[in-house]
Amino acid sequence: MSGFDNVVNFATIHSSTSGLNWENILQIFSPYLVAAVLGYAVAQATKVVILRLRGQKPTWREFFQSGRIPSSHTAFVVAPATVVGLVDGFGSALFAIAAVLVIVVVYDATHVRRSVGEQGEVLRAIIDRDARQEKEIARLTPEDDKPGKKFTKPYFSRGHKPIEVIVGALLGALIGLLVYLIY
């Protein structure tokens, strides 16, 4: 049995005499999903705050970009895994599944996505170099023989350094603990 056995549904709230109150609002939302969403949102907001502290003026796009410290993907999976461990036990089958998901996401963030991000940076550098060469060729080439191909830089996703993932995991665990204590 879960530690959240007192969770009610909409029909129960509608038919109750007390109506919609803070306790019922908390019961509507799954603490596991609340932990995941808060883990992601707090990690992304932290990235924006860090950019502001560094003197940069972040845009809304930075709130949704991947990479940097803390890892929002890691916080996103560690927060609900922490709630699962605290509610169902760290030896439960459900926690084992959550832990496997955490391992896959952390591996992906530190290895696969990081490798792809590094390759993306190299590709963009090659495109920059070739674009400069194209401009020089266009300057020296008669108008009729100018190359028509334009180079555009592709978007690339930055992966994470291990410290960024560790901070994301600590943030996720803290948020999971707070959600557990609130619920």
Side-chain angles (χ1 to χ4, degrees):
M1 281 299 216
S2 169
F4 298 109
D5 294 330
N6 62 346
V7 174
V8 297
N9 61 31
F10 287 106
T12 307
I13 291 172
H14 181 68
S15 65
S16 75
T17 57
S18 63
L20 192 60
N21 57 35
W22 179 247
E23 183 178 322
N24 288 344
I25 289 171
L26 286 177
Q27 292 171 346
I28 292 171
F29 299 101
S30 163
Y32 308 104
L33 292 177
V34 169
V37 170
L38 280 177
Y40 181 83
V42 170
Q44 289 298 96
T46 302
K47 292 177 189 183
V48 171
V49 169
I50 290 171
L51 288 173
R52 296 221 25 120
L53 291 174
R54 290 182 178 167
Q56 298 175 4
K57 188 175 180 183
T59 63
W60 277 104
R61 185 173 185 171
E62 270 86 20
F63 186 80
F64 297 102
Q65 284 186 333
S66 59
R68 298 193 185 104
I69 194 166
S71 168
S72 57
H73 290 87
T74 304
F76 181 72
V77 294
V78 169
T82 302
V83 174
V84 168
L86 292 169
V87 171
D88 296 317
F90 291 97
S92 69
L94 189 56
F95 179 75
I97 294 168
V100 168
L101 177 64
V102 167
I103 291 167
V104 168
V105 169
V106 167
Y107 180 85
D108 179 68
T110 57
H111 291 83
V112 178
R113 287 184 47 242
R114 186 168 179 201
S115 174
V116 169
E118 290 171 353
Q119 292 170 18
E121 288 179 12
V122 171
L123 182 59
R124 288 172 68 116
I126 291 169
I127 289 171
D128 283 343
R129 182 199 66 202
D130 289 349
R132 284 191 302 271
Q133 289 176 352
E134 182 179 293
K135 287 178 187 173
E136 183 63 23
I137 291 169
R139 189 178 66 78
L140 299 173
T141 306
E143 195 65 38
D144 297 338
D145 297 333
K146 287 192 178 187
K149 182 167 174 131
K150 298 291 180 194
F151 292 102
T152 58
K153 293 182 186 181
Y155 170 79
F156 70 97
S157 176
R158 293 175 183 88
H160 288 289
K161 297 174 183 171
I163 188 68
E164 296 169 342
V165 171
I166 291 168
V167 173
L170 292 172
L171 180 64
L174 177 64
I175 289 170
L177 176 62
L178 290 174
V179 167
Y180 172 75
L181 293 174
I182 288 171
Y183 276 86

